[in-house]
Amino acid sequence: MRGLLAVAALSGLLLAGCTSTDADPGVAEPGSPAGSSDVVSDEPTFTPPAGVTVTDVPDRPVGVAAVGSHAWAALPDSGSILTVHGHEVPVGSAPLRLVATPDGVWVSVIRDGTIVRIDPDTGQVDRTVHLKPAGSEPEGLAWDGTSLWVVDQAHDRVLRVDPASGDVVEDLRTGAGPRLVAIGDRGAWVANYVDASLTRLLLVHDCAAHLPECSDYEARTVPLDRRCLTPQGLAWVDHVVWVACTVQSRVIGVDEVTGKVVARFPLDHADAVVADGNDVYVVGQVGPTVSRIDTATRTIGDPLVIDDAGPTTENVAAAIVGDTLVVSHPEVRRLYSVPLGLLRR
């Protein structure tokens, strides 16, 4: 989670509280009654766009994920996962992210240094894995169809895990302060918040029948420098990695082969990034807002404002659930269900 976390003390994170306007060369910027103690505000109440459903939740939601036809959310303060019909599953101290796999729903629990698996049929924890060494801080999670990827921001690494057993299959180095991970066509990508870089985990071998020291994946770190000082959310589509740069209030597209920025768009406090086919949805913290990027034309639509909240000290998150984008905002303790049709106009 972060750069913007209430649990930032755990990881020494930087808070994203300012905006940079530096440019990338060669890339275009597209009243109370008398005697009453009650105060009645003259401020108008925000009305979400027609079609957007707002759900108040009991705690500050951070990570969200599609589990079947439902959205589940991580509640760090209560140490639980909010599942179907408001049921909460205790998982440990400060769960952040979650992802569904055929073997169950895995959760990163940062303060405990664990990843926890929930059986979605029973709603019970059926496996807890303590990451080694002590002091590990699991954050971002992703599922590639075979392996579970787990970012450990404390040790600048990403782990490839067998989702059935919870065993670590590979331990791969990243840049400094990794946060989130996304799946590409031949591996995974990690956003490194502290040193402003991306790490590509490229599949280079099949080690199933080889020696134990053989590595399936090769880690290559690409510096972003001033192009994106604070990479967080990211998604891969057709050889371009789309990255939210939160402090700089922008989203950029990075060519996976050349490492060059091929698109850049302003978006206030850009944070979560989700891909759905050729569409990429980027969520800005202020509002929050949602914008759709057409990756074929490399154009972005106007932001859809879904509330009037300010920036969060944690992170917003998003997930595609059927034909809906579900967005979390911790500060206002809400989940928003936004029909994708509203964003494709």
Side-chain angles (χ1 to χ4, degrees):
M1 165 175 199
R2 290 97 74 229
L4 306 165
L5 263 173
V7 292
L10 297 172
S11 51
L13 304 178
L14 302 174
L15 294 180
C18 60
T19 300
S20 172
T21 57
D22 59 288
D24 294 328
V27 181
E29 289 278 2
S32 300
S36 171
S37 61
D38 295 331
V39 176
V40 179
S41 175
D42 291 329
E43 292 293 326
T45 300
F46 182 86
T47 302
V52 175
T53 301
V54 180
T55 303
D56 293 314
V57 297
D59 195 359
R60 297 184 296 169
V62 181
V64 293
V67 181
S69 59
H70 299 278
W72 290 18
L75 307 179
D77 292 346
S78 64
S80 64
I81 299 299
L82 185 67
T83 66
V84 183
H85 307 306
H87 178 64
E88 291 186 37
V89 181
V91 293
S93 183
L96 294 186
R97 309 287 176 175
L98 62 161
V99 66
T101 77
D103 294 285
V105 180
W106 284 93
V107 181
S108 58
V109 186
I110 191 168
R111 284 202 185 111
D112 293 344
T114 61
I115 52 173
V116 171
R117 191 177 68 192
I118 301 172
D119 182 335
D121 294 327
T122 65
Q124 301 295 318
V125 171
D126 65 6
R127 187 171 295 274
T128 298
V129 177
H130 293 266
L131 300 182
K132 296 178 181 180
S136 294
E137 294 180 347
E139 220 280 27
L141 301 175
W143 161 248
D144 68 3
T146 302
S147 299
L148 173 69
W149 295 83
V150 182
V151 173
D152 176 8
Q153 64 179 26
H155 296 114
D156 298 338
R157 61 177 182 162
V158 60
L159 307 174
R160 192 161 66 89
V161 175
D162 180 342
S165 65
D167 293 340
V168 174
V169 179
E170 283 196 85
D171 182 331
L172 299 154
R173 305 306 300 173
T174 66
R179 294 295 183 265
L180 300 179
V181 55
I183 303 304
D185 63 340
R186 292 187 58 207
W189 288 84
V190 177
N192 305 309
Y193 188 91
V194 173
D195 70 0
S197 68
L198 297 176
T199 297
R200 184 184 187 186
L201 294 312
L202 181 66
L203 179 63
V204 292
H205 298 109
D206 179 1
C207 292
H210 294 74
L211 298 175
E213 60 268 22
C214 174
S215 176
D216 287 332
Y217 290 82
E218 178 180 274
R220 301 175 183 174
T221 295
V222 179
L224 294 174
D225 305 316
R226 292 180 62 82
R227 297 175 296 175
C228 185
L229 296 174
T230 53
Q232 296 209 97
L234 72 170
W236 179 97
V237 178
D238 194 22
H239 307 292
V240 174
V241 186
W242 297 90
V243 187
C245 313
T246 305
V247 170
Q248 291 168 296
S249 287
R250 68 173 60 147
V251 57
I252 62 173
V254 179
D255 185 286
E256 73 172 357
V257 176
T258 66
K260 293 182 178 180
V261 173
V262 295
R264 182 182 65 173
F265 307 106
L267 183 61
D268 202 6
H269 288 79
D271 192 345
V273 183
V274 181
D276 182 41
N278 288 324
D279 292 329
V280 167
Y281 299 97
V282 186
V283 183
Q285 294 180 356
V286 178
T289 61
V290 184
S291 297
R292 169 182 168 264
I293 296 173
D294 182 332
T295 63
T297 61
R298 293 181 183 170
T299 56
I300 191 169
D302 292 334
L304 180 71
V305 182
I306 58 177
D307 210 337
D308 60 355
T312 173
T313 54
E314 300 187 11
N315 285 98
V316 296
I320 302 289
V321 185
D323 59 357
T324 300
L325 181 72
V326 177
V327 175
S328 66
H329 195 293
E331 248 66 7
V332 292
R333 300 188 179 192
R334 287 176 174 172
L335 297 175
Y336 307 86
S337 298
V338 184
L340 296 180
L342 288 180
L343 301 165
R344 292 172 178 158
R345 294 175 179 175

